[in-house]
Amino acid sequence: MVWLKSEYVFASMFSYRVPNYSPSFALTSPVPGPSTIKLAIISTAIERNGISYGEKVFNIIRDSKVLIEPPDKIALSKALIKRLKQDVIAKKMPKEKKEMGICAICNEHKEVWKIDNIFICKDCSSNRISSTFGIREYAHFSGPLNIFIEIENEKNLIIDVLKRIKYFGTSDSLVFCKSISEQVPDENLCVKSLKPIGMEGNILLGDLALLLADFKKDISFKDINPYEKVRNRDPYLLSSYVFPIKLEREGKNWVIYTKIKT
């Protein structure tokens, strides 16, 4: 077993919606969770060499331990954003509400629902884009983010993929890999799951704890493959994670955290 340390620099602010939070009020975790990092690795592998290569990488890292070391300072800020979303109104309408008629958009005679006092078919409803607003939280880092992943085999293959990762979380959270080395992490300086904590010794408890996700131990590639139309089950295991950061300053829509080092 070997630990690989990847150092990532963000070209923009980072955002990763905390699991179970509403998309219209999307608070971010200060760092990406273990499943987000694994998905970024698998997605990069698929983009590089196809789905079969992505499956090979998945089998290597599925059960790998992932630790994230935050930078020295993290600033979080909330923004009011304009959101565009696809309407799927007709798909959610009760079947007994449909009737045969002329769709006001495509002018075809088919099954329609009365939506906003006009008759619309399921296909045209799904193609409509509506505008709405929401709150999105973003993180700004003072320096590189260190990610550690424990690998049993195919070290060089994983190093190659780690170098090519373009983003974590949302697609606009752009990153580039500054360096990769073999290094055992100091777990006290890393975001850590509360679940295994007990008889392992002391940890640095900061001012923040959140739910983050990792892969379940028994999932298959089909459960996370983005090109799979039907997924068998929920592949994610939610756990509470503690962050080795303390509150430094805060305002109405922002907060600054500092990493605990001792």
Side-chain angles (χ1 to χ4, degrees), residues 31-225:
V31 300
S35 65
T36 303
I37 292 166
K38 291 179 181 179
L39 287 172
I41 295 172
I42 295 165
S43 175
T44 302
I46 292 175
E47 290 176 1
R48 177 160 171 73
N49 280 325
I51 293 177
S52 59
Y53 188 72
E55 184 172 8
K56 179 180 180 180
V57 170
F58 166 80
N59 291 329
I60 297 171
I61 68 169
R62 184 191 66 178
D63 300 329
S64 293
K65 189 174 181 180
V66 174
L67 291 173
I68 305 101
E69 181 184 352
D72 290 341
K73 289 182 181 290
I74 302 174
L76 304 181
S77 61
K78 297 181 181 69
L80 177 66
I81 60 173
K82 184 177 181 180
R83 301 171 61 237
L84 297 177
K85 66 176 183 178
Q86 183 184 30
D87 280 340
V88 288
I89 300 173
K91 290 184 178 180
K92 298 179 180 178
M93 296 287 281
K95 291 183 179 180
E96 62 269 15
K97 296 289 185 180
K98 69 182 178 182
E99 55 185 278
M100 298 303 296
I102 302 295
C103 175
I105 298 177
C106 64
N107 293 319
E108 294 184 11
H109 188 270
K110 56 173 67 174
E111 293 178 345
V112 293
W113 282 260
K114 192 173 184 179
I115 302 171
D116 297 332
N117 293 320
I118 61 174
F119 290 102
I120 301 178
C121 69
K122 180 171 65 176
D123 294 332
C124 291
S125 170
S126 299
N127 292 330
R128 295 201 315 176
I129 300 295
S130 63
S131 176
T132 184
F133 292 91
I135 299 293
R136 186 94 201 187
E137 193 172 38
Y138 292 90
H140 184 75
F141 300 136
S142 65
L145 181 73
N146 296 326
I147 294 175
F148 298 85
I149 182 168
E150 192 176 36
I151 300 297
E152 185 173 357
N153 52 53
E154 298 282 4
K155 178 185 70 174
N156 292 332
L157 183 153
I158 299 302
I159 289 175
D160 179 67
V161 178
L162 288 170
K163 289 179 179 179
R164 300 175 186 275
I165 291 176
K166 300 174 183 177
Y167 64 89
F168 292 111
T170 56
S171 59
D172 59 348
S173 299
L174 303 175
V175 299
F176 70 90
C177 183
K178 183 178 179 181
S179 66
I180 296 180
S181 60
E182 293 184 24
Q183 182 177 325
V184 177
D186 181 348
E187 296 196 17
N188 280 340
L189 299 179
C190 297
V191 180
K192 194 171 183 182
S193 172
L194 282 172
K195 188 174 181 180
I197 295 173
M199 301 183 67
E200 293 187 6
N202 296 325
I203 62 164
L204 296 177
L205 289 174
D207 292 334
L208 186 67
L210 290 172
L211 279 179
L212 296 179
D214 199 352
F215 286 171
K216 292 179 180 177
K217 298 296 184 182
D218 58 346
I219 65 169
S220 67
F221 180 66
K222 289 183 178 180
D223 296 320
I224 58 93
N225 180 9

Side-chain angles (χ1 to χ4, degrees), residues 28-30 76 205-210 241-247 257:
T28 186
S29 164
L76 304 181
L205 289 174
D207 292 334
L208 186 67
L210 290 172
Y241 284 75
V242 289
F243 292 71
I245 56 178
K246 62 180 180 180
L247 180 65
Y257 288 102

